[in-house]
Structure formats: C-alpha cells, structure tokens
Amino acid sequence: MGTMVHTHDNKSMLSQGILIFIYLAILTALEFFVAITFNSVVLLVVVALVKAALVIYYYMHVYKLNLESEVDDASYDFKAGTNRLGLWLFLISDAFVFAGLMVVRINLLGLSRPELNQTLGLAVTTVLLVSSFFMNRGETLMRNGDRQGFLKNIALTFILGLGFLLGVVLVEWRLAIHEGITPSGSTAGAAFFMMTGMHAFHVFTGLILLAIVWINGRRGLYDVKSYPVEAAAVYWHFVDVVWIFFYPALYLIGTAVH
Amino acid sequence: MRNISPVWKGLLLLVIAGAIGYGIGLGLDALISGALNTSGPVGAAFAILFAVTAFFFGIYGYRGITRGLVYQVVGTLLGALLITGIRALMGLDNIFGVYLFSEPAWVVGALVGVVSFLFGVGVVHDWVQWSRGIDTPEHHADEPGWEKYFGVSLDHKVIGIQYTITALVLIAIGGTFAMIFRTELAASQLQFLTTELRLFNQTGPQIYNTLMSLHGIIMIISILLGISGIMNYAVPFLVGAQDMAFPRLNAFAYWVSVPASVLMLLSLVLGGFDTGWTGYPPLSARAPVGMQMFFLGVFTAGWSSILGSLNVIATVVRLRAKGMSAMRLPILVWASVATSIIALTATQLIGLSFQLVMFQRLFGMPFFDAARGGNPVLFQHLFWFYSHPAVYVFVLPGLGVISELLPVFVRKPLFGYRWVAMSSLGIALVGFTVWAHHMFTSGMNEYLRVPFMYSTLLVAVPTGVKFFSWVATMWGGKIETPTPMLFVLGAIIVFLMGGLTGPPNAAIALDLHLHDTYWVVGHFHDTIFGGFVFPFFAAIYYWFPKATGRRMNEFWGKVHFWMMTPSFFVLTLGMMLIGLRGMRRRIVDYDPALGFDFAQLIMTIGGYLIALSVLIFIINLFHSIKHGEKAEGNLWNSRSPEWQVPSPMPVHNYDVPFEVVGEPYDYGLKDSKYVEFSPNGQKHIEFTTEPEVQPHRH
Ligand code: HEM
Ligand SMILES: [Cu+2]
C-alpha cells in the first residue's frame, strides 16, 4: 500500500470526520435537552445507542475487521489485520467490565441518581467528545502522509483527554465530596466513584498510549506502518463510547436524590 | 556445589531461606507487637516468600522465574512500606497490625509485587522496547534442554508445557490441602484441627475453612491453567500454524499465573479466609487479610484466562492452514474456541465482583452492605454470571479431547462431526443463561426461579449430543485400550455421572433440599473429573511422546487408572449418599448421631488412594522424560498432522507446511486423506510487527 494512493480517499475521510462530529454534538445537546425537559429514559437510551453506533462505525471503523485471511500472510496488512482482531477481542472483554458496572448501578440505584453538577458534567463530556474528533483527524492525516498535522492533532487529543481526566478526578470528585456524595456515604456515591474511577483509569491508560504514539511519531516511526496509531485511536474512541453510556447513566437518567 | 543436582540444591536453599525468612518475619513482628508469635502469620509469610524464591534460585540461578520472584518480594515489601509510610504521615493509628502491615498496605504491596514480577521475569521487555520505538528480534532462541521452561519463551509448545507443569504443581498443592481436611473428616468430632490449635492466627476449624476454600480455588486455577496447557500446546499445530497469533501475549498470559499462585499461598498464612471459593459477602467483607490476597490472586489469574483465550480465538480465526475450513477443524479446536469465548468475556465479571468487595473493605463503599442500601444478592449474580459459564470453560476442552482421541482408538470416523462441533458452541452460549440455578435459596426474586430451571435443563441437550456421538463412534469399533484410551473411557463414564446428577439440582423443589449439601459436592466432582481431570490425563499420556520423543510407562499408567477410578467412585458416591441424608458441605464436623462416620472413613481412604495414584502418575511422568521407551513416529497411528512429523516437533512445528484435503476423522475409510504436506500448503506466516525483520532461526 503506497502512502499516496489513499490521499483522495482520506480527503473525504476528513470531511466525514467533521460531519460525524457535528452529528455527535447535536445528539449530545438533544440528550441534555431531553433530560432537563421530559426526561424519557427510552429516548436517552436510544440517543446513547445512536451515538455509540456512530463512533464505533465511523471513528473506530469496525468495518475494517476482516476475518478472512488475505492471501499474502507475510505482509504488514495481514499482521495489522491480526492485531486489529486482537484489539477488538480485548475491547469486547473490557466492555464486560463496564456492562457489569452498569448492572451494579441499575440494581442499586434504579431510576435515581446522585445529585451532581450538571454544568461540569456537560463540560467534561464535551471535552471528551472533541478529543475524539481530533483523534480521528490525527489518524486520518497520518494515513494521508501528513505527519505534522498528525502530531498536532494527537497533541490536542492528549491535552483534551488530560483535561477530561483532571476535570473528573480533581474537580468533579472534589465537588461531589463537598456536596456529601462520598464513596462510603451511600450506594449512589459508591456507584458514582466506582464508575467514574474505572473510566478514569482507562482514560489514563489511553493517555499513555497517546503519549507513546506522539513521541514515536515525532521520531518518524510511522508511515505506511501506522497500525499503532490506529490502535491508539480505536482504544481512545472506545473510552469515549463507554462515557457515552456512563454520562446519561450518572447525570441524566431518572431523578436526583441527595 | 557443581555436582549436586539442581533440584536438591533448590530444596536445600528452600529450607535455609525459609528459616531465614521465618526468623526475619518473627523478628519484625516481635519488634512491632512486642510479643513473640512463633505460629503467627508474619514469620510464615516471610518464610513462604523467601523459600519459594530460593528454591528457584537453587534450580535455575538468578534469571527468569527467580528474578521475577525476587522482584515480586521486593515489590511487595516496597509497596506495603510506601502505603505504611503514607498512613503514618496522615497520622492514622494502626499503622501496623497482626499481619505486620495494615490491610491497604498488603493490598497495594501485593499489586506492586505482581507488576514487579512481570518486569523481573522479563515478559514485558519487548513491549517496553517497542513503545520506546526500538525493534526487537522476532524470535528469541530458547535455551536447550529443561532450562527453557524456567524463563520466558515465546514458543507455544514450551508455554503449553509450562502451563501444564504449573497446573500439576497446583493440583499437588490443592490435593495436599484436601488430604489434610479429609483426614479431619474421617471421624466425627475434632481430632487435630481442634479449637485449641493456633496457626497463622487461626483456630483449627478456621484452618479447616481456609484449607477447604483454598482447595476449591487452587483446583479451579489449576484447571484453568491445565486447559490453557492443552490449548496452547495443541491448537497451533492442529490448525497448522507456526505459533499462536500473539506469542508475547501468550507468554504474558502464562507468567501472570505465577505471582497469582504466590498470592494464593500468602492468603493461607495471612489469616486465611472462611468463605469457600465463592467469597460471598457479607462474610467476605469481614474475613481477615487473607481474603484480599485471595481476591487479588483470582483477579490476577483471571487475566491469564482472558488474554490466553483472546490468543486462541485470534489464532484459529487468522492462522489456519490452507483448506482448513470451519467444518474441517479438529473438534478440540472447536471446543477451544467455545471455551475461549466464555473465558474472554465472562471472566471480567468475577473480577469485577471481587473488586467491588475489595473496595467495600478498603474504602467502605457499601455495594453489598444491606444495612447501608447495598445488595448482597447482586454479588451472587455478578459472581455466577462468570462462575457458571466457567464450569463449561473447565470441561469443554476436556470433552474436546475425548472426541479427538476416541476415533483414533476405535479406528472409526467420529459420529456426527457437525453436531459435535456445534454442540460446544451451543453449550457455551446456553451456559450464559443459567447462572441463577446457584441461587434458588438466596432470596432472589422468586419469578426468576422457573426460567432458570428451564434454561439449565436445556444445557442437557447439547451435552447429550456429545454422548450420543461418543457411543455411536464406539459402536462396533475395534476398541484398543492403551492408557490414554482408558482415561477417555473413564472420562465418559464419570462425566455421565456428573451430568445425570446435575438436573436434580436444577429442579427447584429438589434443590431447596440439595443445595449446600455434599450431594452438590459429589455432583461437581464428577463433572470436573469427567470433564477435566480424566481427559487431562488422557491428553498428557497421548501427547507426551510428541513433546519428548518417548512414551510414558504403560504399566504404571494402567496402575494409575485402575487405582484412581474405583477410588474416585467410592469418594463421590459416598459424597452423594451422605449429602442426600443431610450432610452439609463446608463444615469441619458432623454429629456422630447422623451415622456418617463409616462412610466418611471409607471416603477418606478413597481420597488417599486417588492421591497415591496421582503421585504414581507424576513419578511416571518425570521418569519417562529420560527413561521412557523411545517413540518418535506415529505412535497411535493418528491422522492428525502433528503425528505425521517426527517427535519432538521442530520449533515452528512443520518444516513443510500442509494442506487439508479431506475430513479429519475418517478412520478406517479406504484412501481417505486428511492432510497433505507440500511447500505451498501453508500460507507463509512470520510473526513480526515490522514486515522487514530478519527471517527466523529454525
Ligand atoms: C447437565 C448439566 C448440569 C446441570 C443441570 C447442573 C446443575 C447444577 C446446579 C443446579 C447446581 C447448583 C446446586 C446448588 O448449589 O444447589 C450445580 C452446582 C454445581 N455444578 Fe452443575 N450442572 C451441570 C453440569 C455441570 C458441569 C458440566 C459442571 C462442570 C464442572 C458443573 C459444575 C458445578 C459446580 C462446580 C457446582 C457447585 C457450585 C457451588 O455451589 O459451589 N455442573 N450444578
Ligand atoms: Cu451452574
């Protein structure tokens, strides 16, 4: 696969990334609007599913998973294909942790939720969403052969991701504790800290991957062989997908109890 | 020192280092508590850590596993000291406790210890290099001889054997524990695990509980490692691959199981735990620190399962030989895939459930604390969502081994190939929907009972398919009975017993009586022996020549079989008998008026005979490595590709690749062919992250 062959493709990939981001932003706004007006659980679930599907298809490009072995097994593409399958299997496994946490939350809290700072919730959600956009852009540029653009976008992703992490752990957690929502105080507090904590841990590992990819990108390690970039991107979007479900589960669904 | 054998050197150092560790632990404990507690936990904990490390040092020197263990010990101590220091700075009291370190300090220490082990043994080395942008050679040449098994190897056959040996070590440890508490059960009243006894801060009955709990979980981990041994060893060469899809991940998955085993041993001395392997809260929320070591040990071992199964699936999907379509895959491969689907996904939920209890203990998060709005039954749902499907993880590979070996020894095609292949997947998928049959008496919502009863009974259908296939395969065949086949036949009969005793448990009305009795203990020992232990032995007897070029001694193999099988029946039928009459499980004593003494004595004797037979097996195994009869060809006259090349197999399995041209199990059919070796048979596979890395060394 030559570097330039896909240039044209990747031009349209760039605009596709923008379009998907706009959809996601609108859906997030819609979600928030639904929550503060007629608060329909069904609708919130549907919106979350649509958002997740968009990210999984367009940003994580799940369609690249190809189970059929291509002919040339010694090729980089073949190995990247195997690695891709491995990563997806890992994500499926990981998803069971988050699904389990969701079950815990539903079982313990039902249609109540902790009373959290809505502005902050929306803010960190937006930051993570925007980071996903830049991640996608960076990945596409790399495939396009534009290393500088790639590095710039990865750096932006990293900064936004760090912003999300600090926003949750330093600001949101502190505010919650200040409001009396503590890990040991109630099941709502326990569920909140456990879910955001597990997610934050994944964001943290994602940041490490981003840092590795950025540093190695600066060293000029990737060109055609950019699977590590794709892997970091897919993992980063996965963390975003988790938040697409956790955000409504913790901030929007049901009624806030104190 | 040069001339004594490494094993003796290891044992010598084990004793010396154990004594030194014991002394250090005792001293530290005395320093902090002001009293000398000679049978206490701290001396014992240090003794274990030092002794295990020194043993491997004696055998192998300071590299590989030894370095891993040294790192683990140092990491554990540093992690614990760090937390202790932080707690001191925070001005908390109870910085130290009866276990020397506080519970949070032990937990963090144990975690740091596990990670340190992985760095020490060297299994993450290449990944660290890659992330720094440095290439590493594709293959590291293994040391010749036995020494390669003590360090990181990327060869799936080496890793398979590492898994198998580790599983056997754990079986020996778990079996020893069982012998101890079985002896106590031989008669009513307390004989030696008395209430006056004090060991590791536990009374005799508490020691009973800890040993019983550890027996359960150590055996379960040994099963998980045992099936990984079979799958790692066999799957790549059965599908015609040179190795697993991700050799480094494969090594990693094996090596995390070693520090996990160390944590299990630590849990014994750090106060133990009395919940059984299920670890239900609220009891597990207040058990001693040993509980946390148990949780962490299972959590760590769980990663072995998850990453190992990821690798199996990727290998089967991507690296099959030419012509090996889905309906020509060996049954063992189908079974491995089905198992791996469960292990990949469900394992996360036992990890999560244990993690939540850990956090409840550490941070007071009230997940399962009913007094503060939590829900203990939620734990059981999360736990059994893994732990029921897990029983199929235990048995599916074994059932695959049965279907794989049976046609070889009856010289007939496997009956109903498609159905058997699909039944593994069927069992795995239906198995996901039955977990609450463990909870009929738990107080969960009653409307859940009946659906779970029916889904449970449904599992009998795909399981029955396998039985029909086995019986029909044997029907009218020329049955030969060398040792592997004996174990296959034993497996079928024992698993039948296990299968038949399952549905009564699933019938709600019956289970209200049967639950938590020895009946259930009898049931699952039958399923596990039939579905794992017998096939595991069969697999070892069968593939031993492939690995070593020699065969195991037939006579002692038969002694092993004929000693183990009747004893096993005595043991489990006895369990069921007294269970039906009301013998509770997980209890150190029983009322003499119940009249169980005689049965319990006979069962204990049966238990000892099983242990003896396994000892014979282990001696036979190690003896045959050097002294067994030579067997370098197609010893069993099998059609499977691995037997068409000389034993032991070359490093990357097939020097000339093969192509699948026929059905795998058409034994006895004229001119039928399964594989054909030709240079263009296999797609060329090299395991590189970078395409231009040098060709590998053969
Ligand atoms: C026809 C198939 C089977 C049925 C219907 C069945 C049903 C059951 C039920 C209902 C229980 C709960 C009993 C109780 O605690 O009251 C149980 C326990 C158990 N079964 Fe099975 N089973 C089947 C096969 C298996 C297999 C293949 C295994 C594999 C190893 C297995 C392993 C176990 C274990 C380990 C327990 C005990 C769990 C515990 O309470 O600690 N079963 N079985
Ligand atoms: Cu079950």
Side-chain angles (χ1 to χ4, degrees), chain B residues 113 207 230 233 320 344 371 389-390 427 458 527 541 609 675 687:
Chain B
I207 287 284
I230 299 178
Y233 189 72
R320 294 190 313 276
L344 176 73
I427 293 178
L458 192 64
T527 51
Y541 282 107
L609 288 176
V675 293
F687 300 96

Short mmCIF file of all heavy atoms in Angstrom, two decimals, chain B residues 113 207 230 233 320 344 371 389-390 427 458 527 541 609 675 687:
data_model
loop_
_atom_site.label_atom_id
_atom_site.label_comp_id
_atom_site.label_asym_id
_atom_site.label_seq_id
_atom_site.Cartn_x
_atom_site.Cartn_y
_atom_site.Cartn_z
N GLY B 113 3.73 -6.03 43.78
CA GLY B 113 4.51 -7.25 43.66
C GLY B 113 4.23 -7.98 42.36
O GLY B 113 5.16 -8.44 41.68
N ILE B 207 -8.68 -23.07 60.26
CA ILE B 207 -7.73 -23.65 59.31
C ILE B 207 -8.48 -24.57 58.35
O ILE B 207 -8.24 -24.58 57.14
CB ILE B 207 -6.63 -24.44 60.06
CG1 ILE B 207 -5.66 -23.49 60.74
CG2 ILE B 207 -5.89 -25.35 59.13
CD1 ILE B 207 -4.69 -22.82 59.82
N ILE B 230 -3.35 -27.51 27.48
CA ILE B 230 -3.78 -28.31 26.33
C ILE B 230 -3.96 -27.42 25.10
O ILE B 230 -3.47 -27.72 24.01
CB ILE B 230 -5.12 -29.02 26.64
CG1 ILE B 230 -4.95 -29.98 27.83
CG2 ILE B 230 -5.61 -29.77 25.41
CD1 ILE B 230 -6.23 -30.67 28.22
N TYR B 233 -0.67 -25.93 23.74
CA TYR B 233 0.21 -26.92 23.15
C TYR B 233 -0.36 -27.38 21.81
O TYR B 233 0.34 -27.44 20.81
CB TYR B 233 0.37 -28.10 24.11
CG TYR B 233 1.42 -29.07 23.64
CD1 TYR B 233 2.76 -28.72 23.72
CD2 TYR B 233 1.08 -30.29 23.09
CE1 TYR B 233 3.74 -29.56 23.25
CE2 TYR B 233 2.05 -31.15 22.63
CZ TYR B 233 3.38 -30.78 22.71
OH TYR B 233 4.34 -31.61 22.24
N ARG B 320 -5.10 -20.45 10.18
CA ARG B 320 -5.34 -21.84 9.79
C ARG B 320 -4.62 -22.19 8.49
O ARG B 320 -4.40 -21.34 7.63
CB ARG B 320 -6.84 -22.05 9.59
CG ARG B 320 -7.64 -21.93 10.86
CD ARG B 320 -9.06 -22.39 10.64
NE ARG B 320 -9.64 -21.83 9.43
CZ ARG B 320 -10.22 -20.64 9.34
NH1 ARG B 320 -10.25 -19.87 10.39
NH2 ARG B 320 -10.74 -20.23 8.21
N LEU B 344 -13.07 -15.27 27.63
CA LEU B 344 -12.73 -13.90 27.22
C LEU B 344 -13.69 -12.89 27.85
O LEU B 344 -13.27 -11.81 28.27
CB LEU B 344 -12.80 -13.80 25.70
CG LEU B 344 -12.57 -12.40 25.12
CD1 LEU B 344 -11.10 -12.04 25.22
CD2 LEU B 344 -13.03 -12.32 23.67
N ALA B 371 -27.16 -3.12 55.20
CA ALA B 371 -27.52 -2.12 56.20
C ALA B 371 -27.44 -0.71 55.63
O ALA B 371 -28.07 0.21 56.13
CB ALA B 371 -26.62 -2.26 57.42
N PRO B 389 -20.82 -20.20 33.72
CA PRO B 389 -20.15 -20.48 32.44
C PRO B 389 -18.74 -21.05 32.64
O PRO B 389 -18.28 -21.84 31.83
CB PRO B 389 -20.12 -19.11 31.77
CG PRO B 389 -21.30 -18.40 32.32
CD PRO B 389 -21.44 -18.86 33.74
N ALA B 390 -18.10 -20.64 33.74
CA ALA B 390 -16.75 -21.15 33.98
C ALA B 390 -16.72 -22.67 34.03
O ALA B 390 -15.75 -23.29 33.62
CB ALA B 390 -16.20 -20.58 35.27
N ILE B 427 -23.37 -25.32 24.00
CA ILE B 427 -23.21 -25.37 25.45
C ILE B 427 -22.70 -24.03 25.96
O ILE B 427 -23.20 -23.48 26.94
CB ILE B 427 -22.23 -26.49 25.85
CG1 ILE B 427 -22.83 -27.85 25.54
CG2 ILE B 427 -21.87 -26.40 27.32
CD1 ILE B 427 -21.91 -29.01 25.85
N LEU B 458 -32.05 -27.11 29.63
CA LEU B 458 -31.77 -27.04 28.20
C LEU B 458 -30.32 -27.41 27.87
O LEU B 458 -30.03 -27.95 26.81
CB LEU B 458 -32.08 -25.62 27.72
CG LEU B 458 -32.13 -25.39 26.22
CD1 LEU B 458 -33.27 -26.20 25.61
CD2 LEU B 458 -32.33 -23.91 25.92
N THR B 527 -18.50 -33.98 37.57
CA THR B 527 -18.41 -33.25 36.30
C THR B 527 -16.98 -32.82 36.04
O THR B 527 -16.51 -32.88 34.91
CB THR B 527 -19.31 -32.01 36.32
OG1 THR B 527 -19.03 -31.25 37.50
CG2 THR B 527 -20.77 -32.37 36.31
N TYR B 541 -0.94 -38.42 28.54
CA TYR B 541 -0.43 -39.71 28.08
C TYR B 541 -0.33 -39.74 26.55
O TYR B 541 0.56 -40.33 25.98
CB TYR B 541 -1.32 -40.86 28.56
CG TYR B 541 -1.12 -41.24 30.01
CD1 TYR B 541 -2.08 -40.91 30.96
CD2 TYR B 541 0.01 -41.94 30.41
CE1 TYR B 541 -1.91 -41.27 32.29
CE2 TYR B 541 0.19 -42.29 31.74
CZ TYR B 541 -0.78 -41.95 32.68
OH TYR B 541 -0.59 -42.30 33.98
N LEU B 609 -6.19 -42.92 48.22
CA LEU B 609 -5.79 -43.74 47.07
C LEU B 609 -5.70 -42.89 45.81
O LEU B 609 -4.81 -43.09 44.98
CB LEU B 609 -6.78 -44.90 46.89
CG LEU B 609 -6.65 -45.99 47.96
CD1 LEU B 609 -7.72 -47.05 47.78
CD2 LEU B 609 -5.26 -46.63 47.89
N VAL B 675 -4.60 -34.64 5.60
CA VAL B 675 -3.69 -33.56 5.23
C VAL B 675 -2.65 -34.06 4.23
O VAL B 675 -2.36 -35.25 4.14
CB VAL B 675 -2.93 -33.01 6.46
CG1 VAL B 675 -3.88 -32.33 7.39
CG2 VAL B 675 -2.16 -34.11 7.17
N PHE B 687 5.91 -13.93 12.43
CA PHE B 687 5.32 -13.09 13.45
C PHE B 687 6.16 -11.87 13.66
O PHE B 687 7.12 -11.88 14.41
CB PHE B 687 5.16 -13.88 14.74
CG PHE B 687 4.28 -15.05 14.51
CD1 PHE B 687 4.81 -16.28 14.24
CD2 PHE B 687 2.93 -14.87 14.51
CE1 PHE B 687 4.00 -17.34 13.99
CE2 PHE B 687 2.10 -15.94 14.26
CZ PHE B 687 2.64 -17.17 14.00
#
